[in-house]
Amino acid sequence: MSVEEFFSVYDAALKSAGSPSESSVMRAAGVGIDTMRNARRRTTAPDLLAVVKIAHALNVPPFEFLKPLGLTPDMLFSPAPDQAGGDVAHDRFEVLLLKIWRAMNQEERVGLMALLKARININAA
């Protein structure tokens, strides 16, 4: 994970795209013309939003550019280490249940909890 590795991937993407000028890519991406030049000169990581926009302009999956900078899909789509999955919805059904729960008023929630408790007690017997 390094800035040098990022620029290696970025340069390869430019070459693969037919070697367009950096300024034309920056304009197409809608980012500042010196975004990549300044980062390369200072050997610092460019702005992440700019990297994603540039990836789209070059028709490159964004994580191809982000991975050398240390940003992986797991970091974005997994729970934080201190959550260990406890307070994060695990699948689309849990997300749906949460949406239903939030749409309910207090009386409906109490009723649902009573139903669930009765169902659990029946199954335990």
Side-chain angles (χ1 to χ4, degrees), residues 74-95 98 102:
D74 285 344
M75 291 173 76
L76 293 179
F77 303 114
S78 297
D82 63 331
Q83 288 179 325
D87 292 335
V88 177
H90 293 229
D91 57 36
R92 62 189 175 99
F93 296 113
E94 288 186 14
V95 171
L98 182 58
R102 288 182 178 166

